[in-house]
Amino acid sequence: NALEAPNEGEWGMVIEPGFFALIRDAGFDTIRVPIRWSAHAAEAPPYTVAPEFFERVDWVINQGLTHDLNVVINMHHYEEIFEEPYEHEERFLAMWRQIATRYRHRPDNLYMEPINEPQREMTSVCWNDFLPKVGSAIREVDGVHTIVVGTADWCSIAALPQLELPEEETNLI
């Protein structure tokens, strides 16, 4: 959870090189990297993600891939979008365009999860509206990587019947 803190280390965790071999040696083949992109992106258009933060995420992805791990990157703790989704829609999509652009040439065992646990004002209806938009933002530049989605209401199984997957998307978990 190091990169989901407002700044790495603030929650007492810093990702170290040795972690990846430990994970692989323990028998795991996949890591999920929760990332608080919103803490490192400008508040105004074009909502640029800080280059030094991208470099840190690059390092984490590279470490995972070097250790033969599948890597899932997601958008974590974007609290503002859960309170006022439509006010943050443009920023959310702009961040994902940057993320997808940066990682579009990475191996296909890098996965992209648009947002962790949609909740509060990002209801099932709202999430169903956002999902094709974020999928399109990613697909504008990256037609290869798998997109991972969950349901609204904190990824509740009870919300699964309300989840509307974009029909045109064929590479989705």
Side-chain angles (χ1 to χ4, degrees), residues 109-136:
N109 62 326
L110 173 68
Y111 299 82
M112 299 180 185
E113 182 183 1
I115 198 141
N116 179 67
E117 298 177 344
Q119 57 193 269
R120 297 191 292 271
E121 298 305 313
M122 188 172 272
T123 63
S124 289
V125 170
C126 180
W127 181 225
N128 287 338
D129 185 37
F130 272 59
L131 188 52
K133 294 174 188 176
V134 70
S136 291

Side-chain angles (χ1 to χ4, degrees), residues 5-157:
N7 292 291
E8 186 177 14
E10 286 183 5
W11 291 357
M13 173 60 70
V14 174
I15 300 172
E16 299 175 14
F19 291 176
F20 300 91
L22 286 172
I23 292 166
R24 186 71 204 166
D25 292 347
F28 293 95
D29 65 2
T30 303
I31 58 171
R32 181 171 177 262
V33 186
I35 304 167
R36 190 182 296 227
W37 297 98
S38 59
H40 304 279
E43 296 285 333
Y47 309 107
T48 303
V49 175
E52 62 276 3
F53 188 69
F54 258 134
E55 290 172 10
R56 183 62 174 158
V57 174
D58 294 349
W59 180 85
V60 172
I61 292 171
N62 290 340
Q63 290 294 310
L65 296 176
T66 297
H67 287 87
D68 297 320
L69 295 166
N70 302 308
V71 179
V72 180
I73 57 172
N74 82 350
M75 187 169 290
H76 222 87
H77 286 295
Y78 190 179
E79 302 299 329
E80 302 88 346
I81 203 168
F82 298 138
E83 298 302 327
E84 299 177 309
Y86 291 99
E87 287 79 359
H88 289 268
E89 179 179 358
E90 181 181 343
R91 184 173 186 240
F92 173 67
L93 297 176
M95 285 187 284
W96 269 109
R97 281 186 194 95
Q98 292 172 71
I99 296 164
T101 298
R102 187 162 185 110
Y103 300 120
R104 68 181 173 223
H105 298 300
R106 294 302 184 104
D108 62 3
N109 62 326
L110 173 68
Y111 299 82
M112 299 180 185
E113 182 183 1
I115 198 141
N116 179 67
E117 298 177 344
Q119 57 193 269
R120 297 191 292 271
E121 298 305 313
M122 188 172 272
T123 63
S124 289
V125 170
C126 180
W127 181 225
N128 287 338
D129 185 37
F130 272 59
L131 188 52
K133 294 174 188 176
V134 70
S136 291
I138 292 169
R139 293 299 178 229
E140 285 171 16
V141 296
D142 181 348
V144 176
H145 291 98
T146 302
I147 299 173
V148 179
V149 298
T151 64
D153 195 25
W154 299 88
C155 287
S156 166
I157 192 72

